Amino acid sequence: MSSHEDVLNPKVMPEEPEKATLEGKNKFLGFWFFLGGETVLFASLFGTYLALKGSTMDDNTSQNLFELPLVFIMTMLLLTSSLTSVYAMYHMKNNDFGKMQLWLGITVVLGLAFLGCELYEFYHYIHHYEFTFRSSAFGSAFYTLVGFHGGHVLFGLLWIVTLMVRNAKRGLNLYNAPKFYIASLYWHFIDVVWVFIFTVVYLMGVI
Amino acid sequence: MAENTNSVNNELDYHKKKKKEEMKQQVITFALMIVFTIIAFTMVEADLDKLFVIPILFILAIVQVAFQLYYFMHMSHKGHEMPSLMMYGGAAVAFLTVLTLLVLVWW
């Protein structure tokens, strides 16, 4: 009879370690359910933003505020971090714990850089343009939408770092493989939302 | 017994190779996404006609999101019927939500 330990620590990872256990399967389904809900949540924020975009009080319109070079850098950072988390999952499936941790680490660094850029951007708007959450309906809608996404980035980073630290000495097994997989799905979803933010908010905002 | 181990090893090599192939595809996907992003930003910088640029920006965004979902998030793999249902359901409600809010403002 194989013991509990053997089941969770096979010598070779099954083809889909994230779905090899019942717990993993449940996590997988439940998380996609959650992502469907998140899509609708972000849609309501996007809708609000589009509806209130023109309601400005002063010269602080989207055309005057947004600077595309910074947005471009932020997009590249987040897009690259998406690829590095794909690499992390590739090594997870090959049962290479060290490399997975390394690529997750790179993902976290890129995510932090993105967050740094966003903080700089908000700081810049507030101090140089006096454009705040309370300036206008446009301001409220902008900070709510983009800030909510930034909150997701922060949460994703804390999630990945927590997993990395908690499992540092455990290594990879079928108990924590689904956890890593789900966290990487969340990270990709953050990038999905950002694609719409840079298109709808920034690119369409400067046209 | 020895034969058995051999076939297991062969199978392992096969899966390893398959994963490597897939990883190559992922990198190509990533390169395409970068290209789409650069096209989108240059089109806006180039000051083209608004009615021409906006639809293309939307198409580029949707293609990029599809790449992200189907390749990076593996929705193209087997056993993703439920995730597809959730995402398409979510997208449909999302579309209605945005439409409703915009229509409310137009009138």
Side-chain angles (χ1 to χ4, degrees), chain A residues 12 15 28-29 32 43 51 76 82 87 90 93-94 181 188 191-192 206-207, chain B residues 12 15 19-20 27 30 34 44 50 68 73-74 80 82-83 86 94 105:
Chain A
V12 185
E15 233 199 296
F28 176 84
L29 284 180
W32 277 100
M76 287 300 145
S82 214
Y87 266 109
Y90 169 69
K93 287 186 177 179
N94 281 335
Y181 186 83
H188 291 307
D191 201 55
V192 165
V206 297
I207 287 180
Chain B
L12 270 183
H15 285 306
K19 275 177 237 157
K20 216 172 179 173
V27 176
F30 172 72
I34 295 275
V44 172
K50 215 175 158 173
Q68 187 84 235
M73 292 166 88
H74 311 294
H80 280 71
M82 196 62 172
M86 290 305 158
V105 173

PDB file of all heavy atoms in Angstrom, chain A residues 12 15 28-29 32 43 51 76 82 87 90 93-94 181 188 191-192 206-207, chain B residues 12 15 19-20 27 30 34 44 50 68 73-74 80 82-83 86 94 105:
ATOM      1  N   VAL A  12       7.952  11.070 -10.175  1.00  0.00           N
ATOM      2  CA  VAL A  12       7.765  11.858 -11.391  1.00  0.00           C
ATOM      3  C   VAL A  12       6.410  12.544 -11.287  1.00  0.00           C
ATOM      4  O   VAL A  12       5.437  11.927 -10.881  1.00  0.00           O
ATOM      5  CB  VAL A  12       7.768  10.935 -12.627  1.00  0.00           C
ATOM      6  CG1 VAL A  12       7.693  11.778 -13.883  1.00  0.00           C
ATOM      7  CG2 VAL A  12       8.988  10.052 -12.636  1.00  0.00           C
ATOM      8  N   GLU A  15       1.186  14.219 -15.538  1.00  0.00           N
ATOM      9  CA  GLU A  15       1.177  15.192 -16.646  1.00  0.00           C
ATOM     10  C   GLU A  15       0.557  16.529 -16.247  1.00  0.00           C
ATOM     11  O   GLU A  15       1.033  17.581 -16.644  1.00  0.00           O
ATOM     12  CB  GLU A  15       0.432  14.585 -17.833  1.00  0.00           C
ATOM     13  CG  GLU A  15       1.272  14.657 -19.099  1.00  0.00           C
ATOM     14  CD  GLU A  15       0.423  14.506 -20.307  1.00  0.00           C
ATOM     15  OE1 GLU A  15      -0.178  13.441 -20.498  1.00  0.00           O
ATOM     16  OE2 GLU A  15       0.350  15.489 -21.050  1.00  0.00           O
ATOM     17  N   PHE A  28      -9.056  24.239  -9.102  1.00  0.00           N
ATOM     18  CA  PHE A  28      -9.024  24.642 -10.506  1.00  0.00           C
ATOM     19  C   PHE A  28     -10.396  25.159 -10.955  1.00  0.00           C
ATOM     20  O   PHE A  28     -10.513  26.277 -11.483  1.00  0.00           O
ATOM     21  CB  PHE A  28      -8.591  23.421 -11.334  1.00  0.00           C
ATOM     22  CG  PHE A  28      -8.596  23.634 -12.817  1.00  0.00           C
ATOM     23  CD1 PHE A  28      -7.515  24.224 -13.444  1.00  0.00           C
ATOM     24  CD2 PHE A  28      -9.665  23.205 -13.588  1.00  0.00           C
ATOM     25  CE1 PHE A  28      -7.506  24.399 -14.818  1.00  0.00           C
ATOM     26  CE2 PHE A  28      -9.666  23.380 -14.961  1.00  0.00           C
ATOM     27  CZ  PHE A  28      -8.578  23.986 -15.575  1.00  0.00           C
ATOM     28  N   LEU A  29     -11.439  24.371 -10.691  1.00  0.00           N
ATOM     29  CA  LEU A  29     -12.786  24.776 -11.103  1.00  0.00           C
ATOM     30  C   LEU A  29     -13.238  26.024 -10.359  1.00  0.00           C
ATOM     31  O   LEU A  29     -13.752  26.972 -10.955  1.00  0.00           O
ATOM     32  CB  LEU A  29     -13.783  23.649 -10.855  1.00  0.00           C
ATOM     33  CG  LEU A  29     -13.743  22.499 -11.850  1.00  0.00           C
ATOM     34  CD1 LEU A  29     -14.793  21.460 -11.486  1.00  0.00           C
ATOM     35  CD2 LEU A  29     -13.973  22.996 -13.260  1.00  0.00           C
ATOM     36  N   TRP A  32     -11.585  29.240 -11.631  1.00  0.00           N
ATOM     37  CA  TRP A  32     -12.102  29.757 -12.904  1.00  0.00           C
ATOM     38  C   TRP A  32     -13.478  30.397 -12.705  1.00  0.00           C
ATOM     39  O   TRP A  32     -13.815  31.386 -13.366  1.00  0.00           O
ATOM     40  CB  TRP A  32     -12.166  28.659 -13.957  1.00  0.00           C
ATOM     41  CG  TRP A  32     -10.860  28.431 -14.647  1.00  0.00           C
ATOM     42  CD1 TRP A  32      -9.962  27.437 -14.394  1.00  0.00           C
ATOM     43  CD2 TRP A  32     -10.286  29.220 -15.712  1.00  0.00           C
ATOM     44  NE1 TRP A  32      -8.879  27.558 -15.225  1.00  0.00           N
ATOM     45  CE2 TRP A  32      -9.050  28.635 -16.038  1.00  0.00           C
ATOM     46  CE3 TRP A  32     -10.705  30.360 -16.399  1.00  0.00           C
ATOM     47  CZ2 TRP A  32      -8.229  29.147 -17.038  1.00  0.00           C
ATOM     48  CZ3 TRP A  32      -9.881  30.865 -17.394  1.00  0.00           C
ATOM     49  CH2 TRP A  32      -8.655  30.262 -17.702  1.00  0.00           C
ATOM     50  N   ALA A  43     -15.733  44.734 -15.479  1.00  0.00           N
ATOM     51  CA  ALA A  43     -16.580  45.334 -16.515  1.00  0.00           C
ATOM     52  C   ALA A  43     -17.392  46.485 -15.932  1.00  0.00           C
ATOM     53  O   ALA A  43     -17.544  47.528 -16.574  1.00  0.00           O
ATOM     54  CB  ALA A  43     -17.504  44.287 -17.117  1.00  0.00           C
ATOM     55  N   ALA A  51     -18.423  55.839 -18.888  1.00  0.00           N
ATOM     56  CA  ALA A  51     -19.566  56.734 -18.754  1.00  0.00           C
ATOM     57  C   ALA A  51     -19.146  58.093 -18.194  1.00  0.00           C
ATOM     58  O   ALA A  51     -19.707  59.118 -18.554  1.00  0.00           O
ATOM     59  CB  ALA A  51     -20.630  56.086 -17.871  1.00  0.00           C
ATOM     60  N   MET A  76       5.032  46.553 -20.921  1.00  0.00           N
ATOM     61  CA  MET A  76       6.105  45.590 -21.183  1.00  0.00           C
ATOM     62  C   MET A  76       6.469  44.810 -19.913  1.00  0.00           C
ATOM     63  O   MET A  76       6.691  43.606 -19.954  1.00  0.00           O
ATOM     64  CB  MET A  76       7.355  46.317 -21.715  1.00  0.00           C
ATOM     65  CG  MET A  76       7.199  46.800 -23.127  1.00  0.00           C
ATOM     66  SD  MET A  76       6.880  45.426 -24.243  1.00  0.00           S
ATOM     67  CE  MET A  76       5.780  46.163 -25.398  1.00  0.00           C
ATOM     68  N   SER A  82       4.205  37.991 -17.252  1.00  0.00           N
ATOM     69  CA  SER A  82       3.271  36.927 -17.602  1.00  0.00           C
ATOM     70  C   SER A  82       4.039  35.748 -18.200  1.00  0.00           C
ATOM     71  O   SER A  82       3.780  34.590 -17.879  1.00  0.00           O
ATOM     72  CB  SER A  82       2.258  37.469 -18.617  1.00  0.00           C
ATOM     73  OG  SER A  82       1.013  36.895 -18.426  1.00  0.00           O
ATOM     74  N   TYR A  87       7.004  30.294 -17.619  1.00  0.00           N
ATOM     75  CA  TYR A  87       8.237  29.523 -17.415  1.00  0.00           C
ATOM     76  C   TYR A  87       8.218  28.804 -16.066  1.00  0.00           C
ATOM     77  O   TYR A  87       8.631  27.652 -15.959  1.00  0.00           O
ATOM     78  CB  TYR A  87       9.463  30.447 -17.486  1.00  0.00           C
ATOM     79  CG  TYR A  87      10.078  30.502 -18.866  1.00  0.00           C
ATOM     80  CD1 TYR A  87       9.974  31.644 -19.643  1.00  0.00           C
ATOM     81  CD2 TYR A  87      10.749  29.403 -19.394  1.00  0.00           C
ATOM     82  CE1 TYR A  87      10.512  31.695 -20.918  1.00  0.00           C
ATOM     83  CE2 TYR A  87      11.294  29.441 -20.661  1.00  0.00           C
ATOM     84  CZ  TYR A  87      11.172  30.587 -21.421  1.00  0.00           C
ATOM     85  OH  TYR A  87      11.694  30.624 -22.679  1.00  0.00           O
ATOM     86  N   TYR A  90       6.135  25.833 -16.329  1.00  0.00           N
ATOM     87  CA  TYR A  90       6.822  24.835 -17.154  1.00  0.00           C
ATOM     88  C   TYR A  90       7.766  24.012 -16.277  1.00  0.00           C
ATOM     89  O   TYR A  90       7.790  22.780 -16.343  1.00  0.00           O
ATOM     90  CB  TYR A  90       7.580  25.562 -18.268  1.00  0.00           C
ATOM     91  CG  TYR A  90       8.554  24.726 -19.046  1.00  0.00           C
ATOM     92  CD1 TYR A  90       8.115  23.715 -19.896  1.00  0.00           C
ATOM     93  CD2 TYR A  90       9.933  24.965 -18.951  1.00  0.00           C
ATOM     94  CE1 TYR A  90       9.009  22.959 -20.622  1.00  0.00           C
ATOM     95  CE2 TYR A  90      10.829  24.222 -19.671  1.00  0.00           C
ATOM     96  CZ  TYR A  90      10.375  23.215 -20.512  1.00  0.00           C
ATOM     97  OH  TYR A  90      11.269  22.476 -21.220  1.00  0.00           O
ATOM     98  N   LYS A  93       5.876  21.652 -13.918  1.00  0.00           N
ATOM     99  CA  LYS A  93       5.457  20.395 -14.541  1.00  0.00           C
ATOM    100  C   LYS A  93       6.631  19.440 -14.738  1.00  0.00           C
ATOM    101  O   LYS A  93       6.444  18.228 -14.801  1.00  0.00           O
ATOM    102  CB  LYS A  93       4.757  20.678 -15.869  1.00  0.00           C
ATOM    103  CG  LYS A  93       3.384  21.271 -15.612  1.00  0.00           C
ATOM    104  CD  LYS A  93       2.544  21.448 -16.843  1.00  0.00           C
ATOM    105  CE  LYS A  93       1.188  21.979 -16.406  1.00  0.00           C
ATOM    106  NZ  LYS A  93       0.283  22.215 -17.510  1.00  0.00           N
ATOM    107  N   ASN A  94       7.837  19.995 -14.846  1.00  0.00           N
ATOM    108  CA  ASN A  94       9.030  19.142 -14.954  1.00  0.00           C
ATOM    109  C   ASN A  94       9.589  18.788 -13.578  1.00  0.00           C
ATOM    110  O   ASN A  94      10.682  18.227 -13.481  1.00  0.00           O
ATOM    111  CB  ASN A  94      10.114  19.848 -15.775  1.00  0.00           C
ATOM    112  CG  ASN A  94       9.831  19.749 -17.256  1.00  0.00           C
ATOM    113  OD1 ASN A  94       9.151  18.823 -17.694  1.00  0.00           O
ATOM    114  ND2 ASN A  94      10.346  20.691 -18.017  1.00  0.00           N
ATOM    115  N   TYR A 181      -0.116  26.732  -9.334  1.00  0.00           N
ATOM    116  CA  TYR A 181      -0.787  26.852 -10.627  1.00  0.00           C
ATOM    117  C   TYR A 181      -1.883  27.922 -10.585  1.00  0.00           C
ATOM    118  O   TYR A 181      -1.981  28.769 -11.470  1.00  0.00           O
ATOM    119  CB  TYR A 181      -1.375  25.497 -11.016  1.00  0.00           C
ATOM    120  CG  TYR A 181      -1.971  25.478 -12.406  1.00  0.00           C
ATOM    121  CD1 TYR A 181      -1.168  25.285 -13.522  1.00  0.00           C
ATOM    122  CD2 TYR A 181      -3.344  25.657 -12.603  1.00  0.00           C
ATOM    123  CE1 TYR A 181      -1.701  25.268 -14.798  1.00  0.00           C
ATOM    124  CE2 TYR A 181      -3.884  25.647 -13.878  1.00  0.00           C
ATOM    125  CZ  TYR A 181      -3.063  25.452 -14.964  1.00  0.00           C
ATOM    126  OH  TYR A 181      -3.595  25.442 -16.225  1.00  0.00           O
ATOM    127  N   HIS A 188      -1.883  35.828 -14.634  1.00  0.00           N
ATOM    128  CA  HIS A 188      -2.228  36.035 -16.048  1.00  0.00           C
ATOM    129  C   HIS A 188      -3.490  36.877 -16.177  1.00  0.00           C
ATOM    130  O   HIS A 188      -3.598  37.715 -17.066  1.00  0.00           O
ATOM    131  CB  HIS A 188      -2.459  34.695 -16.762  1.00  0.00           C
ATOM    132  CG  HIS A 188      -1.204  33.901 -16.916  1.00  0.00           C
ATOM    133  ND1 HIS A 188      -0.075  34.424 -17.477  1.00  0.00           N
ATOM    134  CD2 HIS A 188      -0.906  32.629 -16.595  1.00  0.00           C
ATOM    135  CE1 HIS A 188       0.872  33.498 -17.483  1.00  0.00           C
ATOM    136  NE2 HIS A 188       0.384  32.406 -16.945  1.00  0.00           N
ATOM    137  N   ASP A 191      -2.901  40.433 -16.070  1.00  0.00           N
ATOM    138  CA  ASP A 191      -2.407  40.939 -17.344  1.00  0.00           C
ATOM    139  C   ASP A 191      -3.547  41.112 -18.344  1.00  0.00           C
ATOM    140  O   ASP A 191      -3.549  42.058 -19.138  1.00  0.00           O
ATOM    141  CB  ASP A 191      -1.335  39.998 -17.894  1.00  0.00           C
ATOM    142  CG  ASP A 191      -0.450  40.709 -18.901  1.00  0.00           C
ATOM    143  OD1 ASP A 191       0.105  41.745 -18.538  1.00  0.00           O
ATOM    144  OD2 ASP A 191      -0.347  40.223 -20.039  1.00  0.00           O
ATOM    145  N   VAL A 192      -4.515  40.197 -18.314  1.00  0.00           N
ATOM    146  CA  VAL A 192      -5.692  40.311 -19.191  1.00  0.00           C
ATOM    147  C   VAL A 192      -6.396  41.646 -18.930  1.00  0.00           C
ATOM    148  O   VAL A 192      -6.730  42.390 -19.852  1.00  0.00           O
ATOM    149  CB  VAL A 192      -6.662  39.129 -18.946  1.00  0.00           C
ATOM    150  CG1 VAL A 192      -8.028  39.414 -19.553  1.00  0.00           C
ATOM    151  CG2 VAL A 192      -6.095  37.851 -19.536  1.00  0.00           C
ATOM    152  N   VAL A 206      -5.858  59.216 -25.010  1.00  0.00           N
ATOM    153  CA  VAL A 206      -5.039  60.274 -25.623  1.00  0.00           C
ATOM    154  C   VAL A 206      -5.461  60.566 -27.059  1.00  0.00           C
ATOM    155  O   VAL A 206      -5.085  61.586 -27.623  1.00  0.00           O
ATOM    156  CB  VAL A 206      -3.520  59.941 -25.588  1.00  0.00           C
ATOM    157  CG1 VAL A 206      -3.020  59.850 -24.177  1.00  0.00           C
ATOM    158  CG2 VAL A 206      -3.224  58.665 -26.336  1.00  0.00           C
ATOM    159  N   ILE A 207      -6.230  59.677 -27.660  1.00  0.00           N
ATOM    160  CA  ILE A 207      -6.668  59.927 -29.047  1.00  0.00           C
ATOM    161  C   ILE A 207      -7.544  61.177 -29.089  1.00  0.00           C
ATOM    162  O   ILE A 207      -8.474  61.311 -28.308  1.00  0.00           O
ATOM    163  CB  ILE A 207      -7.454  58.714 -29.612  1.00  0.00           C
ATOM    164  CG1 ILE A 207      -6.486  57.575 -29.887  1.00  0.00           C
ATOM    165  CG2 ILE A 207      -8.168  59.086 -30.899  1.00  0.00           C
ATOM    166  CD1 ILE A 207      -7.143  56.334 -30.437  1.00  0.00           C
TER     167      ILE A 207
ATOM    168  N   LEU B  12       8.343   9.255 -20.548  1.00  0.00           N
ATOM    169  CA  LEU B  12       8.781  10.472 -19.870  1.00  0.00           C
ATOM    170  C   LEU B  12       9.445  11.421 -20.845  1.00  0.00           C
ATOM    171  O   LEU B  12       9.165  12.614 -20.866  1.00  0.00           O
ATOM    172  CB  LEU B  12       9.773  10.119 -18.760  1.00  0.00           C
ATOM    173  CG  LEU B  12       9.177   9.845 -17.398  1.00  0.00           C
ATOM    174  CD1 LEU B  12      10.272   9.578 -16.405  1.00  0.00           C
ATOM    175  CD2 LEU B  12       8.326  11.027 -16.962  1.00  0.00           C
ATOM    176  N   HIS B  15       6.878  13.082 -22.979  1.00  0.00           N
ATOM    177  CA  HIS B  15       6.171  14.184 -22.325  1.00  0.00           C
ATOM    178  C   HIS B  15       7.062  15.408 -22.161  1.00  0.00           C
ATOM    179  O   HIS B  15       6.628  16.538 -22.307  1.00  0.00           O
ATOM    180  CB  HIS B  15       5.639  13.741 -20.960  1.00  0.00           C
ATOM    181  CG  HIS B  15       4.429  12.861 -21.081  1.00  0.00           C
ATOM    182  ND1 HIS B  15       3.327  13.256 -21.796  1.00  0.00           N
ATOM    183  CD2 HIS B  15       4.154  11.626 -20.600  1.00  0.00           C
ATOM    184  CE1 HIS B  15       2.422  12.290 -21.750  1.00  0.00           C
ATOM    185  NE2 HIS B  15       2.906  11.288 -21.032  1.00  0.00           N
ATOM    186  N   LYS B  19       6.339  19.076 -23.631  1.00  0.00           N
ATOM    187  CA  LYS B  19       6.308  20.290 -22.817  1.00  0.00           C
ATOM    188  C   LYS B  19       7.253  21.346 -23.392  1.00  0.00           C
ATOM    189  O   LYS B  19       6.969  22.537 -23.379  1.00  0.00           O
ATOM    190  CB  LYS B  19       6.704  19.964 -21.379  1.00  0.00           C
ATOM    191  CG  LYS B  19       5.542  19.465 -20.537  1.00  0.00           C
ATOM    192  CD  LYS B  19       6.011  19.095 -19.162  1.00  0.00           C
ATOM    193  CE  LYS B  19       5.672  17.663 -18.839  1.00  0.00           C
ATOM    194  NZ  LYS B  19       6.496  17.048 -17.819  1.00  0.00           N
ATOM    195  N   LYS B  20       8.408  20.862 -23.880  1.00  0.00           N
ATOM    196  CA  LYS B  20       9.394  21.779 -24.441  1.00  0.00           C
ATOM    197  C   LYS B  20       8.831  22.449 -25.699  1.00  0.00           C
ATOM    198  O   LYS B  20       8.981  23.651 -25.888  1.00  0.00           O
ATOM    199  CB  LYS B  20      10.675  21.009 -24.769  1.00  0.00           C
ATOM    200  CG  LYS B  20      11.904  21.836 -24.516  1.00  0.00           C
ATOM    201  CD  LYS B  20      13.167  21.015 -24.649  1.00  0.00           C
ATOM    202  CE  LYS B  20      14.361  21.920 -24.404  1.00  0.00           C
ATOM    203  NZ  LYS B  20      15.592  21.162 -24.362  1.00  0.00           N
ATOM    204  N   VAL B  27       6.627  31.099 -26.151  1.00  0.00           N
ATOM    205  CA  VAL B  27       7.533  32.220 -26.416  1.00  0.00           C
ATOM    206  C   VAL B  27       7.116  32.939 -27.696  1.00  0.00           C
ATOM    207  O   VAL B  27       7.142  34.169 -27.762  1.00  0.00           O
ATOM    208  CB  VAL B  27       8.999  31.735 -26.498  1.00  0.00           C
ATOM    209  CG1 VAL B  27       9.932  32.871 -26.864  1.00  0.00           C
ATOM    210  CG2 VAL B  27       9.424  31.139 -25.166  1.00  0.00           C
ATOM    211  N   PHE B  30       4.214  35.068 -26.908  1.00  0.00           N
ATOM    212  CA  PHE B  30       4.684  36.266 -26.205  1.00  0.00           C
ATOM    213  C   PHE B  30       5.218  37.299 -27.200  1.00  0.00           C
ATOM    214  O   PHE B  30       4.872  38.479 -27.126  1.00  0.00           O
ATOM    215  CB  PHE B  30       5.772  35.869 -25.201  1.00  0.00           C
ATOM    216  CG  PHE B  30       6.459  37.026 -24.553  1.00  0.00           C
ATOM    217  CD1 PHE B  30       5.801  37.786 -23.606  1.00  0.00           C
ATOM    218  CD2 PHE B  30       7.762  37.358 -24.892  1.00  0.00           C
ATOM    219  CE1 PHE B  30       6.431  38.859 -22.996  1.00  0.00           C
ATOM    220  CE2 PHE B  30       8.396  38.424 -24.293  1.00  0.00           C
ATOM    221  CZ  PHE B  30       7.731  39.178 -23.350  1.00  0.00           C
ATOM    222  N   ILE B  34       3.857  41.131 -27.888  1.00  0.00           N
ATOM    223  CA  ILE B  34       4.701  42.340 -27.861  1.00  0.00           C
ATOM    224  C   ILE B  34       4.492  43.132 -29.152  1.00  0.00           C
ATOM    225  O   ILE B  34       4.323  44.355 -29.126  1.00  0.00           O
ATOM    226  CB  ILE B  34       6.197  41.942 -27.735  1.00  0.00           C
ATOM    227  CG1 ILE B  34       6.462  41.273 -26.395  1.00  0.00           C
ATOM    228  CG2 ILE B  34       7.099  43.149 -27.953  1.00  0.00           C
ATOM    229  CD1 ILE B  34       6.729  42.198 -25.249  1.00  0.00           C
ATOM    230  N   VAL B  44      -1.474  54.959 -32.195  1.00  0.00           N
ATOM    231  CA  VAL B  44      -1.977  56.112 -31.446  1.00  0.00           C
ATOM    232  C   VAL B  44      -1.021  57.289 -31.575  1.00  0.00           C
ATOM    233  O   VAL B  44      -1.441  58.429 -31.771  1.00  0.00           O
ATOM    234  CB  VAL B  44      -2.202  55.726 -29.968  1.00  0.00           C
ATOM    235  CG1 VAL B  44      -2.523  56.950 -29.137  1.00  0.00           C
ATOM    236  CG2 VAL B  44      -3.327  54.715 -29.869  1.00  0.00           C
ATOM    237  N   LYS B  50      -9.471  58.848 -35.896  1.00  0.00           N
ATOM    238  CA  LYS B  50     -10.034  58.221 -34.705  1.00  0.00           C
ATOM    239  C   LYS B  50     -10.910  57.011 -35.039  1.00  0.00           C
ATOM    240  O   LYS B  50     -10.808  55.951 -34.402  1.00  0.00           O
ATOM    241  CB  LYS B  50     -10.889  59.274 -34.000  1.00  0.00           C
ATOM    242  CG  LYS B  50     -10.857  59.182 -32.494  1.00  0.00           C
ATOM    243  CD  LYS B  50     -11.632  60.349 -31.905  1.00  0.00           C
ATOM    244  CE  LYS B  50     -12.072  60.013 -30.497  1.00  0.00           C
ATOM    245  NZ  LYS B  50     -12.673  61.156 -29.819  1.00  0.00           N
ATOM    246  N   GLN B  68      -3.611  35.242 -24.326  1.00  0.00           N
ATOM    247  CA  GLN B  68      -3.334  35.094 -22.891  1.00  0.00           C
ATOM    248  C   GLN B  68      -4.170  33.954 -22.299  1.00  0.00           C
ATOM    249  O   GLN B  68      -3.652  33.081 -21.612  1.00  0.00           O
ATOM    250  CB  GLN B  68      -3.662  36.423 -22.203  1.00  0.00           C
ATOM    251  CG  GLN B  68      -3.291  36.539 -20.765  1.00  0.00           C
ATOM    252  CD  GLN B  68      -1.856  36.943 -20.524  1.00  0.00           C
ATOM    253  OE1 GLN B  68      -1.138  36.262 -19.822  1.00  0.00           O
ATOM    254  NE2 GLN B  68      -1.408  38.050 -21.096  1.00  0.00           N
ATOM    255  N   MET B  73      -2.883  30.694 -20.210  1.00  0.00           N
ATOM    256  CA  MET B  73      -3.715  30.109 -19.153  1.00  0.00           C
ATOM    257  C   MET B  73      -4.233  28.728 -19.558  1.00  0.00           C
ATOM    258  O   MET B  73      -5.075  28.159 -18.880  1.00  0.00           O
ATOM    259  CB  MET B  73      -4.872  31.051 -18.800  1.00  0.00           C
ATOM    260  CG  MET B  73      -4.396  32.333 -18.122  1.00  0.00           C
ATOM    261  SD  MET B  73      -5.649  33.620 -18.069  1.00  0.00           S
ATOM    262  CE  MET B  73      -6.460  33.208 -16.532  1.00  0.00           C
ATOM    263  N   HIS B  74      -3.733  28.210 -20.675  1.00  0.00           N
ATOM    264  CA  HIS B  74      -3.967  26.826 -21.132  1.00  0.00           C
ATOM    265  C   HIS B  74      -5.424  26.486 -21.441  1.00  0.00           C
ATOM    266  O   HIS B  74      -5.808  25.323 -21.365  1.00  0.00           O
ATOM    267  CB  HIS B  74      -3.444  25.805 -20.114  1.00  0.00           C
ATOM    268  CG  HIS B  74      -2.059  26.084 -19.653  1.00  0.00           C
ATOM    269  ND1 HIS B  74      -0.977  26.012 -20.492  1.00  0.00           N
ATOM    270  CD2 HIS B  74      -1.571  26.476 -18.447  1.00  0.00           C
ATOM    271  CE1 HIS B  74       0.118  26.335 -19.817  1.00  0.00           C
ATOM    272  NE2 HIS B  74      -0.212  26.631 -18.574  1.00  0.00           N
ATOM    273  N   HIS B  80     -11.017  21.876 -20.289  1.00  0.00           N
ATOM    274  CA  HIS B  80     -11.264  23.272 -19.939  1.00  0.00           C
ATOM    275  C   HIS B  80     -12.654  23.733 -20.364  1.00  0.00           C
ATOM    276  O   HIS B  80     -12.845  24.890 -20.707  1.00  0.00           O
ATOM    277  CB  HIS B  80     -10.196  24.176 -20.560  1.00  0.00           C
ATOM    278  CG  HIS B  80      -8.922  24.187 -19.775  1.00  0.00           C
ATOM    279  ND1 HIS B  80      -8.084  23.107 -19.731  1.00  0.00           N
ATOM    280  CD2 HIS B  80      -8.365  25.135 -18.987  1.00  0.00           C
ATOM    281  CE1 HIS B  80      -7.059  23.408 -18.956  1.00  0.00           C
ATOM    282  NE2 HIS B  80      -7.202  24.621 -18.488  1.00  0.00           N
ATOM    283  N   MET B  82     -15.414  23.798 -18.443  1.00  0.00           N
ATOM    284  CA  MET B  82     -15.965  24.643 -17.381  1.00  0.00           C
ATOM    285  C   MET B  82     -15.313  26.034 -17.386  1.00  0.00           C
ATOM    286  O   MET B  82     -16.033  27.038 -17.375  1.00  0.00           O
ATOM    287  CB  MET B  82     -15.775  23.930 -16.034  1.00  0.00           C
ATOM    288  CG  MET B  82     -16.615  24.482 -14.933  1.00  0.00           C
ATOM    289  SD  MET B  82     -18.378  24.299 -15.313  1.00  0.00           S
ATOM    290  CE  MET B  82     -19.040  24.807 -13.737  1.00  0.00           C
ATOM    291  N   PRO B  83     -13.973  26.108 -17.431  1.00  0.00           N
ATOM    292  CA  PRO B  83     -13.361  27.442 -17.523  1.00  0.00           C
ATOM    293  C   PRO B  83     -13.884  28.241 -18.717  1.00  0.00           C
ATOM    294  O   PRO B  83     -14.171  29.441 -18.581  1.00  0.00           O
ATOM    295  CB  PRO B  83     -11.874  27.142 -17.692  1.00  0.00           C
ATOM    296  CG  PRO B  83     -11.684  25.867 -16.970  1.00  0.00           C
ATOM    297  CD  PRO B  83     -12.940  25.085 -17.200  1.00  0.00           C
ATOM    298  N   MET B  86     -17.266  29.593 -17.925  1.00  0.00           N
ATOM    299  CA  MET B  86     -17.168  30.700 -16.968  1.00  0.00           C
ATOM    300  C   MET B  86     -16.686  31.974 -17.650  1.00  0.00           C
ATOM    301  O   MET B  86     -17.229  33.056 -17.430  1.00  0.00           O
ATOM    302  CB  MET B  86     -16.188  30.337 -15.840  1.00  0.00           C
ATOM    303  CG  MET B  86     -16.697  29.274 -14.916  1.00  0.00           C
ATOM    304  SD  MET B  86     -18.270  29.747 -14.236  1.00  0.00           S
ATOM    305  CE  MET B  86     -18.912  28.170 -13.779  1.00  0.00           C
ATOM    306  N   ALA B  94     -20.254  40.885 -18.883  1.00  0.00           N
ATOM    307  CA  ALA B  94     -19.405  42.076 -18.891  1.00  0.00           C
ATOM    308  C   ALA B  94     -19.812  43.011 -20.019  1.00  0.00           C
ATOM    309  O   ALA B  94     -19.945  44.221 -19.828  1.00  0.00           O
ATOM    310  CB  ALA B  94     -17.943  41.670 -19.045  1.00  0.00           C
ATOM    311  N   VAL B 105     -25.904  56.773 -20.026  1.00  0.00           N
ATOM    312  CA  VAL B 105     -25.304  58.102 -20.100  1.00  0.00           C
ATOM    313  C   VAL B 105     -25.686  58.809 -21.390  1.00  0.00           C
ATOM    314  O   VAL B 105     -25.824  60.029 -21.415  1.00  0.00           O
ATOM    315  CB  VAL B 105     -23.774  57.982 -19.978  1.00  0.00           C
ATOM    316  CG1 VAL B 105     -23.089  59.312 -20.231  1.00  0.00           C
ATOM    317  CG2 VAL B 105     -23.419  57.470 -18.604  1.00  0.00           C
TER     318      VAL B 105
END
